[in-house]
Structure formats: C-alpha cells, structure tokens
Amino acid sequence: MLLGLSKIIDCPGASVPFSTSLDLRDLRYGNCCPVTEPVNAEGVVRNTAGVLVMSGMVTTCIHGVCDRCASDFTRQMEIPIDVVLVTELADEENEDEWVFPLEGDSADLEDIVRTVFVLNMDSKLLCSEDCKGLCCRCGTNLNNGPCNCQKELDPRFAALKQLLKK
Ligand SMILES: [Zn+2]
Ligand SMILES: [Zn+2]
C-alpha cells in the first residue's frame, strides 16, 4: 500500500495521517509463525523543516512458543515507528535501516511497517522479557516457582565441607 505524500513534500509543517493493517502470518521464527493476528500500524508523516518524519505505532498480538521455557504464550506487542523518508538514498555509507526511500512521492507503508516490525522482534521469542526458563537439571518451569534442585548441595561443596570438618 502506497501512502501519497505529494501534498506535504514541499510544505514544511504539513502532515498526512496513515493507518494500515498487514498480514505477517508467513513470518517464521524457529518452528513457528507467531504473528497470527493482523499487524496494525497507525501514525503520521510530518514534514519537519523539510525532512519527512514518519512516527506512529505498530501493534499486534503474537501467539508463540517461548524459546526459553517452551510454553505457549500470547503477548501484546507495541513497537514505535520512528523513521525518516527520503527521496533518494544517499551513498552507501549513510545507509541506515531507519531511513526509507520514497517511491516517487509515495511511501511504501507495507514495506516500512514490515521492516520496523521484523527489526524489533526479539531474536529470541520469549513469553516475557524476564522469563526464568527451565531448570537445566530437572526441567521444571522456573516461572512457576523454584524446583528442588537448588536445595540440594552441590557435591563439590559437600566434599569441601567434609574437608573443613577435619
Ligand atoms: Zn518463557
Ligand atoms: Zn531443577
């Protein structure tokens, strides 16, 4: 979907609102495609002193399997959009993923929203930022409370204790 910007390209202070919805069900993370719901984006493109700045928010709800604790989870995602649109990409040295070229005098909304979304998705798919994961010894999901392993004394410490007694 193209967002026409001809009205604001030469008009500092002017702005154009946008709102779109994408289908990113084909995005794969490991063995799952967690983006099962529509990805909504809305915001505004503003000509700020001659620079086209796009700002807004991408929201969706992902349904995945946690990389750390292996449980199914549903997580609300809110990703800010803050990118600059340029008529021509400058030489490669200045290339930045947050700068997008215009298609003529339009912005390719789908491409921009998809890129922002993908770059912001955690490389690891977690049920929450501070997921405690599984105990490497007994496999208990530590989000549900500690397991019994931690209470057991490490055999090396046990040996040390024996030595100290002497
Ligand atoms: Zn988890
Ligand atoms: Zn354990």
Side-chain angles (χ1 to χ4, degrees):
M1 182 194 168
L2 291 178
L3 177 70
L5 298 172
S6 54
K7 279 184 289 181
I8 66 164
I9 272 178
D10 295 314
C11 191
S15 61
V16 171
F18 68 88
S19 163
T20 188
S21 185
L22 302 188
D23 177 355
L24 298 182
R25 279 178 294 184
D26 60 332
L27 275 185
R28 212 162 232 296
Y29 288 87
N31 293 322
C32 60
C33 297
V35 195
T36 50
E37 295 189 20
V39 175
N40 300 307
E42 58 177 59
V44 69
V45 180
R46 192 180 305 277
N47 183 327
T48 306
V51 179
L52 295 176
V53 179
M54 178 185 243
S55 56
M57 193 68 89
V58 183
T59 53
T60 191
C61 190
I62 59 172
H63 299 265
V65 177
C66 180
D67 271 351
R68 217 177 265 168
C69 70
S71 50
D72 293 324
F73 70 92
T74 299
R75 193 172 168 192
Q76 192 67 37
M77 303 289 287
E78 284 197 351
I79 298 163
I81 304 174
D82 187 14
V83 304
V84 170
L85 305 173
V86 293
T87 45
E88 230 171 84
L89 276 183
D91 53 46
E92 300 225 344
E93 279 168 66
N94 295 333
E95 222 174 279
D96 187 322
E97 66 246 39
W98 304 115
V99 174
F100 290 85
L102 292 179
E103 308 262 331
D105 53 12
S106 300
D108 185 343
L109 269 187
E110 180 166 345
D111 179 53
I112 295 168
V113 172
R114 188 184 174 100
T115 305
V116 166
F117 184 82
V118 170
L119 289 175
N120 274 279
M121 276 287 277
D122 302 321
S123 53
K124 273 189 181 292
L125 205 59
L126 300 179
C127 60
S128 73
E129 294 295 345
D130 54 359
C131 172
K132 294 186 179 72
L134 303 177
C135 170
C136 56
R137 295 175 68 189
C138 70
T140 295
N141 185 338
L142 298 175
N143 295 307
N144 300 332
C147 61
N148 292 321
C149 302
Q150 283 154 350
K151 291 176 193 152
E152 276 173 37
L153 217 49
D154 186 305
R156 284 167 300 176
F157 286 118
L160 193 65
K161 245 183 173 176
Q162 283 299 320
L163 284 173
L164 291 173
K165 270 183 194 165
K166 285 175 189 167

